[in-house]
Amino acid sequence: MKYPDLDELSEENRILKEEVHRFAAEIIRPASIKLDRMSPEERIKRDSPYFGVMKKMKKLSYHKLHVPSEFGGPDLSALERYIIMEELGWGSLGLATAIGVDQIPFVNALLFGPDELVEDLVKPWLEDEECRYHGCWGVTEPEHGSDYLLCFRDEEANKFGKGNVIAQEEEDGWVLKGQKSAWVSSAPVATHCGLHAQVKDGKAIYDGIFCIVPLDAGGVRKGKVADMMGMRDGPQGELFFDNVWIPEHYVVVAPTPFYGIFFDQLLCLTSCGMGAFAVGLARAAFEEALTYARQREQGGKPLVKHKNIKLKLYEMFEKIETARYFVRKTMEHVHRKILEEKTFDAFPRHSRAAQIYAKKIAFEVANEALQIFGAYGLSSDFIIEKLFRDARALLIEDGTIEVLSFDAADDVISNYEKDYYDVEDISGRYG
Ligand SMILES: Cc1cc2nc3c(=O)[nH]c(=O)nc-3n(C[C@H](O)[C@H](O)[C@H](O)COP(=O)(O)OP(=O)(O)OC[C@H]3O[C@@H](n4cnc5c(N)ncnc54)[C@H](O)[C@@H]3O)c2cc1C
């Protein structure tokens, strides 16, 4: 897999890319194909290929990509993280997303939570190689999908109504009531949820907390596993909270003005990850189409000799290359601001744009790749059909591309000429 990279990767980075690619090709992809064809109930069993891959990923420390080295993280640069994430996305969007959301409760606890929480949960998660600790990220609610992405920058945020999950403070902890929607990735297999909840007497959804909820706590119930068109290799499902008590120190971000900034910056981080996965998926689709078009003969010559196919392949290449360097550059900026300098002032408009652009090109590339396969592309005998379905899911997952675009547009309109908020000077909700 030695193709030229505009960053002229060092020998070390090339070796890293090759190693992760081998893992993606030999372990992740075959498991993802099996999972795609299994029933939702079979997919979440402890002996399913899902847990087989997760355990191997944990042994290789892929869950520690964002963990600082003083806590045993692998001390990677943003470029190295990008390289790993693109390859994981190449292997499977569902399994890459699963190892992505696994990190959300625990890495945020490490960055923002109290020491007691790090001792209780983060350290065991770091050391776990058996997937006994597995995270998910509970944002979307039945009545609030896109609302959760739009309310923070909207001047009349209370028009979005009350959250579906409400947190009430008690003397020694918090009580949670309500429901997250059926699309929470890994919820059916997770042990812990990084949960966003609105505080009881808060004005709107943005008056919230981010906390960790052990999913074996009294009052937690998991709904049925969703049966989706795409991303079937990473299970989604709903979560119900019926007077669930958590101790005070399980609250990672309290209801302060920082909660909004935290959430916005977390979306900057996840946008870069989704962008890298999308480029990986696009590359997987392109490589399938290129190989097929070299082999398949029609009109007396291989498909690659036909001008329309040539043009399609060139355009796919152009899209993937532009997306890769945009996402990579954005990831370098975002990781520096959040993980290294800890100034939490990464630019939302750029991170949203990187995610949106990469998702769009992934769908366009997968769509054109399938077209190159003709009818074979629609058959489940070829992986291109799965890649197309996964690319379609990408346009909705982690925010629809339209709503992410509205959010980026608001940031462009308000902040185009200046850097983002001054983190030193926070007095109330920003906007
Ligand atoms: C595969 C997959 C994995 C996911 N994983 C997770 C996860 O791990 N955790 C989690 O919490 N959620 C997860 N989600 C949920 C995802 O974030 C939401 O589906 C997404 O934010 C959209 O919300 P919704 O589905 O409720 O759509 P809605 O918000 O109901 O939107 C419906 C349509 O209306 C448009 N729309 C919505 N609001 C506006 C507006 N104000 N103005 C104009 N148009 C608007 C949208 O663009 C969309 O086309 C996942 C979803 C998928 C598909």
Side-chain angles (χ1 to χ4, degrees):
M1 211 218 6
K2 283 197 172 145
Y3 57 77
D5 186 292
L6 287 182
D7 275 323
E8 295 175 13
L9 298 182
S10 66
E11 190 52 25
E12 225 174 64
N13 287 342
R14 274 185 180 276
I15 292 170
L16 174 72
K17 192 170 173 72
E18 278 172 30
E19 276 176 9
V20 187
H21 184 71
R22 200 171 315 118
F23 180 75
E26 291 172 7
I27 307 293
I28 298 183
R29 189 174 272 190
S32 86
I33 293 169
K34 277 192 200 145
L35 285 163
D36 184 54
R37 293 170 188 182
M38 289 165 74
S39 72
E41 294 71 29
E42 283 176 318
R43 273 184 259 147
I44 63 164
K45 287 185 180 157
R46 201 62 207 171
D47 60 356
S48 96
Y50 178 89
F51 282 105
V53 172
M54 282 304 130
K55 287 182 202 170
K56 288 187 176 126
M57 284 200 191
K58 287 190 178 242
K59 283 197 174 74
L60 290 165
S61 292
Y62 290 158
H63 65 305
K64 298 184 196 168
L65 293 189
H66 299 85
V67 172
S69 53
E70 64 264 31
F71 290 100
D75 199 17
L76 298 169
S77 66
L79 172 62
E80 289 165 329
R81 286 190 206 104
Y82 176 86
I83 289 171
I84 295 172
M85 286 192 246
E86 184 183 316
E87 293 313 316
L88 297 181
W90 182 96
S92 150
L93 176 66
L95 293 165
T97 301
I99 201 70
V101 293
D102 175 50
Q103 301 168 52
I104 287 182
F106 303 103
V107 171
N108 284 303
L110 202 52
L111 293 175
F112 306 104
D115 293 347
E116 217 181 334
L117 181 59
V118 173
E119 287 299 322
D120 273 11
L121 294 182
V122 183
K123 287 192 176 167
W125 169 77
L126 283 167
E127 287 158 18
D128 174 36
E129 294 189 350
E130 292 301 317
C131 207
R132 299 277 169 216
Y133 287 77
H134 196 30
C136 68
W137 186 23
V139 187
T140 313
E141 299 180 342
E143 292 169 35
H144 304 288
S146 306
D147 291 359
Y148 243 109
L149 298 171
L150 291 173
C151 71
F152 291 92
R153 243 180 288 280
D154 196 291
E155 304 218 322
E156 301 161 60
N158 47 11
K159 75 180 180 217
F160 293 103
K162 280 266 177 201
N164 292 139
V165 177
I166 301 292
Q168 183 168 11
E169 192 164 20
E170 295 204 335
E171 224 166 74
D172 54 351
W174 289 75
V175 172
L176 305 159
K177 282 184 207 167
Q179 178 189 352
K180 288 290 174 185
S181 75
W183 328 123
V184 175
S185 294
S186 299
V189 281
T191 58
H192 292 82
C193 178
L195 182 80
H196 295 263
Q198 187 190 337
V199 291
K200 181 154 184 286
D201 296 315
K203 277 182 287 172
I205 314 170
Y206 63 74
D207 283 325
I209 60 168
F210 177 76
C211 58
I212 300 194
V213 186
L215 296 178
D216 61 357
V220 175
R221 186 166 60 81
K222 293 184 178 185
K224 73 180 180 88
V225 191
D227 197 4
M228 310 284 268
M229 175 184 113
M231 253 192 61
R232 294 170 58 80
D233 35 14
Q236 294 93 33
E238 58 205 335
L239 292 171
F240 298 89
F241 304 92
D242 183 11
N243 288 315
V244 176
W245 179 84
I246 53 162
E248 180 67 44
H249 68 281
Y250 278 35
V251 173
V252 176
V253 181
T256 58
F258 183 68
Y259 173 72
I261 293 175
F262 157 77
F263 194 20
D264 206 11
Q265 293 289 296
L266 179 54
L267 287 170
C268 291
L269 273 177
T270 58
S271 286
C272 297
M274 289 313 300
F277 297 158
V279 175
L281 195 163
R283 210 185 88 221
F286 169 70
E287 289 170 8
E288 290 299 316
L290 180 62
T291 307
Y292 183 81
R294 282 173 173 154
Q295 289 164 357
R296 168 87 170 155
E297 288 196 6
Q298 284 298 285
K301 52 188 178 185
L303 292 183
V304 281
K305 299 279 183 197
H306 293 289
K307 278 192 181 149
N308 58 328
I309 304 287
K310 258 189 192 173
L311 196 56
K312 274 192 203 300
L313 289 168
Y314 164 71
E315 284 171 350
M316 291 155 85
F317 164 80
E318 182 191 85
K319 285 173 179 170
I320 294 165
E321 294 294 304
T322 49
R324 171 179 302 118
Y325 298 109
F326 182 28
V327 176
R328 204 182 261 183
K329 186 77 198 160
T330 308
M331 191 180 283
E332 283 169 358
H333 160 78
V334 168
H335 285 195
R336 191 172 60 256
K337 294 290 188 179
I338 299 177
L339 302 174
E340 292 163 29
E341 296 169 359
K342 297 192 172 60
T343 49
F344 309 113
D345 55 352
F347 302 145
R349 53 190 178 273
H350 292 85
S351 65
R352 305 297 190 275
Q355 171 172 194
I356 295 159
Y357 185 68
K359 282 172 158 184
K360 279 184 188 165
I361 71 98
F363 179 69
E364 288 162 12
V365 168
N367 190 30
E368 290 295 11
L370 191 147
Q371 192 69 12
I372 289 176
F373 273 75
Y376 291 103
L378 298 172
S379 140
S380 59
D381 290 345
F382 292 85
I383 193 175
I384 196 66
E385 172 264 348
K386 173 183 183 296
L387 296 175
F388 174 77
R389 286 186 281 112
D390 289 348
R392 186 64 189 81
L394 258 182
L395 301 182
I396 297 171
E397 179 187 0
D398 207 35
T400 67
I401 51 165
E402 298 89 342
V403 164
L404 290 169
S405 307
F406 294 147
D407 186 42
D410 285 342
D411 188 22
V412 171
I413 292 161
S414 318
N415 299 305
Y416 180 74
E417 295 86 355
K418 55 181 166 79
D419 277 4
Y420 209 56
Y421 34 73
D422 179 357
V423 183
E424 297 293 313
D425 179 26
I426 300 163
S427 46
R429 192 171 67 88
Y430 60 94

